[in-house]
Amino acid sequence: MKTYGVIMAGGGGTRFWPLSTKAEPKQFLNLSGKDILVNETIDRQSAFIDREDIFIVTNQTQAELMLARTDGRVRRDHVLAEPAARNTAACIGYAAMEITRKYGDGVMCIFAADHHIRDEQEYTRVMREAVRTVEETDALVTIGIHPTFPSTGYGYIKNSPIEGKRYRKVEEFVEKPDPDTAQSYVEAGCYAWNSGMFVWKASTILGYFERLLPDIYACLTEIGNAMGTAGEREVIQRVYPTIPKISVDYGIMERAKGILMLEGDFGWSDVGSWDTLDTVRKKDENGNIVSGDTLLMDAKNCVIYGKNKLIAAVGVEDLVVVEGDNAVLVCPQKDAQRVKQVVEQLEKSRKDRFL
Amino acid sequence: MKTYGVIMAGGGGTRFWPLSTKAEPKQFLNLSGKDILVNETIDRQSAFIDREDIFIVTNQTQAELMLARTDGRVRRDHVLAEPAARNTAACIGYAAMEITRKYGDGVMCIFAADHHIRDEQEYTRVMREAVRTVEETDALVTIGIHPTFPSTGYGYIKNSPIEGKRYRKVEEFVEKPDPDTAQSYVEAGCYAWNSGMFVWKASTILGYFERLLPDIYACLTEIGNAMGTAGEREVIQRVYPTIPKISVDYGIMERAKGILMLEGDFGWSDVGSWDTLDTVRKKDENGNIVSGDTLLMDAKNCVIYGKNKLIAAVGVEDLVVVEGDNAVLVCPQKDAQRVKQVVEQLEKSRKDRFL
C-alpha cells in the first residue's frame, strides 16, 4: 500500500507576531534561516514519501500563496483548500476522503506544517517504523516524543511496552500538566509528549469517523461523493463550513481503543513562541539569535529579528525584538507567550491593520 | 537700536538617531508633540523680537527644507546658508556681518535651534533684560542657567554680583566637571550652566573677531564686501569653507574681558538624548513617554517612539525604543548616550543608509 504525506497548514498562527501575520502565517516564516517551515516539512517527508504523494491541507485564502511559496514541491491537485477552519478532525477526514476517492486507500503520515525536527535521519527511521506498524496492524499509530524536560506546554501520552514489539500501547492521553505533575511524568518514564503526528490508513481513520463522529462522517461522505465531479467545489463550499469543530485528539484519539505509539527522540519542537527559537537556530557567542540587519552592542541572550530596518540593540539582555511589516515587538524572553495577548488586544481594539 | 534673533541650526545631530538623521536632524523633530524644535525656538523669540527680524543660520543642504518646515516664519533672505560647517564662531560672525551690512547694526540674540525652554514668560523677561543690558553697556552678555542639579554634561560659568545691577560679572568659563566638582559648583552658588545663549551688538562682536580672531575676521570681511553684489554666492562658496573651525566659546568668550551674565531660571534644556525627553514631554501614569502608534502592557518608565509601525512593548522597564525611517533602536535609558557609538559604528562600517 502506498504511503501519503498529509501536511496540516491551516494555521493563521500569530504566535510569531509581528513577523507572522494573518496574511503571512507561521508556516511561511523562515525561522531557521534555511527555508520556510512548510518547505522544510515537505522536504523532510520527501526522505520517505515521494513528493508526488504529499498533500497539504490549507485554507482557501492561502491556497495560491501556498502553491507559490512551495515552489513546485506539491502537486496543484494535492493542495486541499478548506473553505473554513473546522479544526483537525475535519482537516484529516477531508484528506482521508480525498486519498480514498483518488487512490483507493493509503497510509497517511500526518504532520503539522510549522514544527521542527533537529535529527531528520532519526525522524525518517521512526516514521518508516510507524508505516510498517500500520501495515502490520491496521492500528491508529501516533508518535510520542521522548520528553527532554518537564514541559507544561504539551499534552502527554501515557504508554506501556508490548513484549517483543518496537511499538508501544497507548494507555491514556493526558492534558497539559502543572509543573509538579510534569516532573512526575518525566520521572515515571512512561509518558511521552503528544506531538500531533499520526500514521494510519485512510480507510481505518474513516471507519473511526463513521463510528465515533457520524455527523462529520456524513459531511465527509457528501463531499467525497462530489469529488471528481463538476459540483465538487460547490458541495465543499456548502458542506465543509457545517462540519462540527472538534480536534482529532478529542474526537477520536481519546476515545479509540488499541492505539499504538512509537517513541521519537529526534529533537522535535513545535516552535511555539519567540523564546523557543533556539530549537531551530544557533545562538551566537553572546547567546543572541539574530536575523536581518542588526547592530548589537553588549546585547546578551536576545532574539533580534529585523525585516526592513536595521535593529540596533545596545546594553540589553534576555530581550525579544522583532520587526514585522506593520509592527515592532519588544518584550523579555520570559514574556514571549504574551504575544497572544497583544494580538487579542489589537483585534479587540480593531487595529487589525497591525495584524 | 533694533534687536535681531539669530538661530543657529547647523547641527546634523544624530543624538536622537534613529529618529534624527542626517537628512532630518534634531531641529526638525517634534519631540514635544506640539511642533518641531526650530519652530518652537522661532515662536519663543517672537515674543520679544519681530519675526521679520529673525535669522536662521543653517547649512546649504538644509536651507530649502528649513524654509519649508518653518512655513513662512522666517524671511527667505534671513536664512543664511553655510556651504560648510565651520563651528559657532564662523556661524555667529556670518550673522553679525549680514546684520551689519544689511541694517547697519543691531542687538543679536543668539540661540540654538534645538534647545527647549519650559517657562517662556520668564525666558522673555530675562532676554529683554539682556537686551537692555547690551544697550546700556555695549558688553558681551551671556545667559547663565541656574543649575538645578550637579550636571556633568554642561560647562559652567563662574560669576559674581555687581552692586546695584541685575546683571553679573563673568569670572571664568569652566569645562564640564566631574561629579564631585559639579556638586561643589552647585553648592557654591556662584556657578551657572553655560547654555550657549548670547546677546550683543553685531558691531561689538565683530570688534572682538577683529582683535581676537583676525583670520576669521579677514574671511568675514571678504564675505561682507561681497554681500548684496552679484558675486556674493561665489565668494561665500570659496571663502566660507576656509574659515578656521573654532567655537565662539574658545575663540572669544574665554578670552574676552568684561563679559556680563544674566542668570536664567526658566527650565532650559538642551534635550541632549533620549533619556532627557521628560524635559519636553509629560510622562504618563506609568512613567512612559510615548509617541506614534503604541501598545503598552506592563511597560514602565520607557520612552517609546513609533514612526510608521506600531510599537508593542510588553513587560519592559526603563527602556528606550525608537523607530526611525531606516532603523529601530532599543536600549536601556541609562545607555541612551551610547547612540553616538552606534552612529559612529554605522559610519565606520559604511552603513550610511541607516543614518
Side-chain angles (χ1 to χ4, degrees), chain B residues 74-88:
Chain B
V74 177
R75 285 166 54 155
R76 177 171 277 273
D77 68 319
H78 280 193
V79 174
L80 309 183
E82 297 176 293
R86 307 304 293 172
N87 214 327
T88 51

Side-chain angles (χ1 to χ4, degrees), chain B residues 299-313:
Chain B
K300 278 182 208 158
N301 300 319
C302 291
V303 170
I304 315 265
Y305 262 63
K307 192 162 186 182
N308 323 117
K309 305 189 180 194
L310 172 90
I311 312 287

Side-chain angles (χ1 to χ4, degrees), chain A residues 293 295 297-298 308-315 323-332 338 341-342 345-346 354, chain B residues 293 295 297-298 308-315 323-332 338 341-342 345-346 354:
Chain A
D293 284 309
L295 189 159
M297 274 185 194
D298 299 325
N308 323 117
K309 305 190 181 193
L310 172 90
I311 312 287
V314 180
E323 183 213 359
D325 281 326
N326 305 318
V328 175
L329 168 73
V330 182
C331 73
R338 296 183 68 188
Q341 292 172 41
V342 172
Q345 197 163 316
L346 288 173
F354 300 121
Chain B
D293 283 310
L295 189 158
M297 274 186 193
D298 298 325
N308 323 117
K309 305 189 180 194
L310 172 90
I311 312 287
V314 180
E323 183 212 1
D325 281 326
N326 306 317
V328 176
L329 168 74
V330 182
C331 74
R338 295 182 69 187
Q341 293 172 40
V342 172
Q345 197 164 314
L346 289 172
F354 299 122

Side-chain angles (χ1 to χ4, degrees), chain A residues 97-98 101 218-229 235-236:
Chain A
M97 189 58 79
E98 183 81 19
R101 298 288 164 145
C219 294
L220 292 175
T221 304
E222 192 175 351
I223 290 169
N225 289 339
M227 281 176 179
T229 73
V235 173
I236 289 174

